[in-house]
Amino acid sequence: MFAAPLSPWSVVPAVIALVAYALAWPRGDSALARRALPLAWIAHGTALFAHLLGIGLPGDGIRFGFAPALSSTVWLVLAVHAIESRFVPVPAIRRLLAALGGLAVLIGLLFPGEGAIHAVSPWAPLHWLMGFASYGLFGAAVLHAIWLDRAERAMRSRKTPALDSGALPLLRLEQLTFRFVAAGFVVLSAAIVLGSWFMAAWRWDHKTLFSLMGWAVFAGLLGGRRAFGWRGRRATRWLYLGSVLLLLAYIGSRFVFEVLLHRPVAITG
C-alpha cells in the first residue's frame, strides 16, 4: 500500500466527528441531534484540513487519495446543507447526512491515501478546489433528487411521503435541485478550462474522459430542461448518470489504483 501516515492532529478530530455524527443519527428533532450535526461538520473539516496539509507529519505537500477526496466531497455537501438550512428548512435529510458523514470519516481513517503530492502548477490547487466544489454541489443536487423521486413516488401511490415536518413542496424542491445542478455545472466547466490551460499537454486518461463525459451529460440535462421542459424521473436519471461519471473520474479510478491494484498514481491536474 502507498498510504500516508496519520497524525493525532487529524485522528482526534476525526474520532470526535464520528461520535458527533452518531449523536445526530437518531430519529426525531431533539436539540442534541440538531446540535451534533454542526459539531460533526466542524470536527470533520478540521480532520480533513490537518490531513490534507500533513500537519504533524514530516515533509510538505498535499496528502491525497480516493478516501480524502470522498470525505472532502461529503463535507462540502454538508456545508451546502448548512447554508441552505438557514433559508429553507430541510430536516428530513439530517439522518442521511449524518450517515454519509460518518461513513466518509471512517473510510478516510482506513484509507488515508498517498504521501505528499506536489502540485505541477501554482494553479493546480485552485483546479482541485473547483473540481471538488462541483462534486459538493452535484452531491447536494443528488440528495435533493432522491428526496424528489421519493416524494413523487409517494404522491403517485397516493401515500403521504414519510418525511419529517417542514417538507418542501415538490415544485420548490425541484427548483432547488436544478439550481444546484446549474451551479455545479458552472464550477465544473471552470475547473475543466483551468485544468486544460495549465497542463503542459492534454492527456486523454480516465480522469479526463470521465470528466468530459460527465460534463456532457450535465450539459444535456440543462439543455433538455430548458428546451423541452425535462422534469421528474427523466431529469433525475440524467443527474444520477452524470454524477456517477464524475465519481468515476477521480474517486473511483483512484480507488482502483490505491485499494485494488496497490499502485501509486500521479496527480497532473
Side-chain angles (χ1 to χ4, degrees):
M1 291 292 291
F2 297 87
L6 291 169
S7 78
W9 292 98
S10 60
V11 173
V12 172
V15 172
I16 295 174
L18 282 174
V19 173
Y21 279 130
L23 293 174
W25 166 253
R27 294 183 181 275
D29 194 30
S30 67
L32 177 61
R34 289 197 308 270
R35 293 170 183 169
L37 191 60
L39 173 62
W41 178 77
I42 293 172
H44 186 169
T46 303
L48 266 176
F49 182 81
H51 177 69
L52 293 177
L53 296 185
I55 296 176
L57 296 174
D60 57 358
I62 298 175
R63 270 73 180 172
F64 224 58
F66 94 91
L70 178 63
S71 188
S72 300
T73 300
V74 173
W75 185 84
L76 287 169
V77 171
L78 266 78
V80 171
H81 166 73
I83 296 172
E84 181 186 16
S85 63
R86 303 292 295 179
F87 305 97
V88 181
V90 282
I93 59 174
R94 190 199 70 232
R95 298 185 74 236
L96 177 59
L97 292 173
L100 288 175
L103 184 61
V105 171
L106 182 59
I107 293 175
L109 289 172
L110 295 176
F111 303 98
E114 298 178 349
I117 299 170
H118 297 275
V120 298
S121 164
W123 294 101
L126 179 59
H127 167 69
W128 299 339
L129 179 61
M130 294 176 69
F132 287 108
S134 70
Y135 271 41
L137 290 167
F138 286 127
V142 167
L143 283 178
H144 285 72
I146 293 172
W147 190 7
L148 180 63
D149 284 343
R150 180 183 176 187
E152 285 187 343
R153 284 196 302 269
M155 183 178 66
R156 285 175 181 153
S157 63
R158 298 183 180 180
K159 293 179 181 179
T160 302
L163 300 174
D164 296 341
S165 60
L168 295 172
L170 282 180
L171 182 59
R172 177 61 172 158
L173 185 57
E174 185 180 63
Q175 290 174 341
L176 284 172
T177 301
F178 286 96
R179 284 179 184 175
F180 284 125
V181 172
F185 179 76
V186 170
V187 177
L188 176 63
S189 300
I192 292 175
V193 171
L194 182 61
S196 64
W197 174 66
F198 73 71
M199 287 175 61
W202 184 263
R203 295 179 56 186
W204 283 104
D205 55 12
H206 53 272
K207 177 175 175 286
T208 301
L209 181 62
F210 282 121
S211 295
L212 291 178
M213 289 173 63
W215 181 91
V217 168
F218 287 121
L221 170 58
L222 292 172
R225 180 169 172 80
R226 184 174 182 85
F228 307 110
W230 287 358
R231 59 191 311 174
R233 292 184 180 180
R234 172 179 291 181
T236 56
R237 284 171 183 169
W238 278 68
L239 171 56
Y240 299 148
L241 174 60
S243 300
V244 169
L245 290 171
L246 280 190
L247 196 67
L248 292 173
Y250 186 87
I251 296 175
S253 60
R254 290 188 68 87
F255 172 80
V256 172
F257 277 102
E258 294 174 26
V259 179
L260 301 183
L261 300 180
H262 306 302
R263 289 170 51 191
V265 54
I267 291 182
T268 56

